[in-house]
Amino acid sequence: MQSLYLATPFAAAIACLLTSLLLFARRKSGERSRLILSCIVMFSVGNYIMRFIDLCHGNEPQLVISVPMLLLAIFMVISYIMYPIEVISPGYLNWRRIFKLYSPCLILAGIYGLSIKFGATFPPYHSLQDMLPQFTEFHAWFRLLLAMLIFAPVLFIFTIPYTRRYNNTDRSWIMRYTICLTINTIAYMIVLMSDLLIIKTLYYYVSAGCSIYVAYLELFERLIGQHPVPVDETVTVPADECNNVEISVANQNPLCERILLHMNRTCDYRNPDLSLNMLAGLLYTNRTTLSNALHELGYSSFNNYINTLRIEEFIRHIENNKTFNYQDVFYDVGFRSRATALRNFKQYTGKTPSEYFSE
């Protein structure tokens, strides 16, 4: 059993390393979700390798219930929810929001550091059950609190803002990812509750298996395929909840028709990570041909076209909903920052939003 326990973290490290490299190799231009997931799985690789090295030297790698070990677990679970955030709401994560996401972990680490500085001690325990009789002591209830907080980030998945209508995923994928992450978290809690070698060994299989399954969902099941819509010689796209406008594509070159139909149907311009390469792939063409078609439609560049669609939707939204919360609407239509949105709005209208809507 000891030999199996030694080999398991090594096998898990190799499996997760290959998974991480595959995700990185299959990343798409302008899309961060696979890159984020690749980095998260690589964190697990580092963790498995450190445990394998410790076991090779005859050491028990952080198997006592220590505060650093629990803080690392919270850090990893938080990292695993960054990926669905990017999938569900591309562009929502920026440095400020990432800092806020990790801030509870930083605060708890600060409390731990201050308690050590003021003389608190944290006796070693090999399971949460061993610690329960000392529940009233600070060193015990603080660690029990950290153990319970490991579940908190999983619940955060259901609060991710659904501000856009992308073809990125569906509810089925969200539920499967959440179940997978929950199973991984429960398995870790079982390890904390028991000191049995078989349970610790099985945990590596569950943890690595969950990482591989999430990668499988990302590579083969998450993205809903998009196919160009065949168009007749004269087509009128009906008004819908996305653009709420009618677009005439009569007498256009076929690629121009496909561009207009695609954008009116999917509102992909709301994706702040949308790039020329991404749109070319979705329309089954290349970037040069796509750029020429955009010039034929009267736009100087890809950015000019996308930002024009965003500004037009911004204006429609403000006029239809009579709201003056410009910043939220700018974010909803695909801009990453208020400054960029205001600059493009002034280029399009020659005025600031306040001046434009006051008239």
Side-chain angles (χ1 to χ4, degrees):
M1 189 64 198
Q2 188 67 36
S3 299
L4 178 62
Y5 182 48
L6 176 63
T8 299
F10 179 75
I14 296 299
C16 288
L17 176 62
L18 295 176
T19 301
S20 177
L21 293 176
L22 178 61
L23 286 165
F24 183 79
R26 295 290 300 275
R27 71 191 187 281
K28 294 187 176 182
S29 174
E31 189 177 71
R32 301 185 300 177
S33 58
R34 288 185 181 177
L35 184 61
I36 290 173
L37 184 58
S38 174
C39 292
I40 293 169
V41 176
M42 191 61 74
F43 288 159
S44 298
V45 174
N47 191 22
Y48 294 143
I49 290 176
M50 287 190 294
R51 293 188 181 190
F52 175 72
I53 292 173
D54 284 340
L55 286 171
C56 287
H57 288 85
N59 302 321
E60 281 291 288
Q62 292 290 327
L63 292 181
V64 294
I65 309 301
S66 66
V67 173
M69 182 191 72
L70 295 171
L71 288 173
L72 178 61
I74 294 173
F75 173 86
M76 287 300 299
V77 177
I78 292 175
S79 298
Y80 265 99
I81 68 169
M82 287 178 60
Y83 162 64
I85 290 174
E86 180 62 25
V87 169
I88 295 170
S89 191
Y92 178 79
L93 287 175
N94 52 33
W95 290 113
R96 179 175 59 84
R97 290 192 174 100
I98 291 174
F99 178 79
K100 287 174 64 177
L101 200 61
Y102 283 108
S103 59
C105 193
L106 296 174
I107 292 171
L108 292 168
I111 293 173
Y112 172 64
L114 287 174
S115 65
I116 294 292
K117 184 176 181 180
F118 286 102
T121 58
F122 291 83
Y125 293 97
H126 286 276
S127 71
L128 292 178
Q129 290 179 335
D130 297 339
M131 202 164 51
L132 288 178
Q134 307 296 324
F135 177 74
T136 56
E137 300 291 333
F138 171 75
H139 66 80
W141 65 255
F142 183 68
R143 279 182 279 190
L144 289 171
L145 174 64
L146 293 180
M148 289 187 290
L149 288 177
I150 293 173
F151 277 103
V154 179
L155 302 176
F156 185 76
I157 294 177
F158 296 99
T159 69
I160 298 172
Y162 290 80
T163 55
R164 303 182 179 87
R165 300 181 182 90
Y166 295 142
N167 235 11
N168 285 357
T169 187
D170 54 21
R171 293 278 180 178
S172 174
W173 174 87
I174 296 171
M175 289 303 301
R176 281 185 287 175
Y177 181 85
T178 304
I179 291 171
C180 184
L181 184 56
T182 303
I183 290 173
N184 198 0
T185 306
I186 292 174
Y188 183 75
M189 293 299 297
I190 293 174
V191 171
L192 296 183
M193 294 295 295
S194 174
D195 198 33
L196 295 176
L197 194 60
I198 182 63
I199 291 180
K200 296 172 184 175
T201 303
L202 289 174
Y203 169 70
Y204 287 118
Y205 287 99
V206 172
S207 179
C210 287
S211 296
I212 295 171
Y213 179 68
V214 168
Y216 168 79
L217 290 178
E218 166 64 27
L219 292 170
F220 301 106
E221 293 195 11
R222 175 177 70 83
L223 296 181
I224 301 170
Q226 295 188 16
H227 304 281
V229 176
V231 292
D232 300 323
E233 293 183 359
T234 303
V235 180
T236 299
V237 180
D240 63 9
E241 61 177 358
C242 175
N243 281 340
N244 199 27
V245 293
E246 292 190 353
I247 299 176
S248 175
V249 294
N251 301 320
Q252 295 282 2
N253 118 20
L255 181 55
C256 293
E257 296 177 359
R258 282 162 51 196
I259 293 170
L260 297 176
L261 286 165
H262 176 83
M263 282 300 178
N264 194 66
R265 187 181 70 248
T266 67
C267 294
D268 275 349
Y269 56 84
R270 292 176 180 168
N271 183 350
D273 292 323
L274 184 67
S275 66
L276 182 63
N277 285 336
M278 284 178 63
L279 184 58
L282 292 170
L283 295 172
Y284 298 89
T285 185
N286 59 65
R287 53 183 296 148
T288 301
T289 305
L290 178 58
S291 294
N292 291 336
L294 292 175
H295 289 151
E296 188 174 330
L297 286 171
Y299 298 96
S300 60
S301 66
F302 169 79
N303 287 336
N304 174 244
Y305 172 59
I306 296 302
N307 288 329
T308 296
L309 293 180
R310 290 170 178 167
I311 294 300
E312 288 173 349
E313 183 178 359
F314 171 82
I315 292 172
R316 289 194 302 273
H317 184 93
I318 298 297
E319 290 178 341
N320 293 339
N321 295 280
K322 306 301 181 183
T323 178
F324 293 94
N325 189 351
Y326 298 149
Q327 185 163 337
D328 285 352
V329 181
F330 276 140
Y331 169 74
D332 287 344
V333 300
F335 286 107
R336 283 193 182 278
S337 70
R338 179 182 175 86
T340 302
L342 290 174
R343 183 176 68 253
N344 281 279
F345 187 91
K346 195 159 187 178
Q347 288 175 354
Y348 183 83
T349 65
K351 302 173 183 178
T352 65
S354 298
E355 294 169 344
Y356 182 86
F357 292 111
S358 66
E359 298 177 359

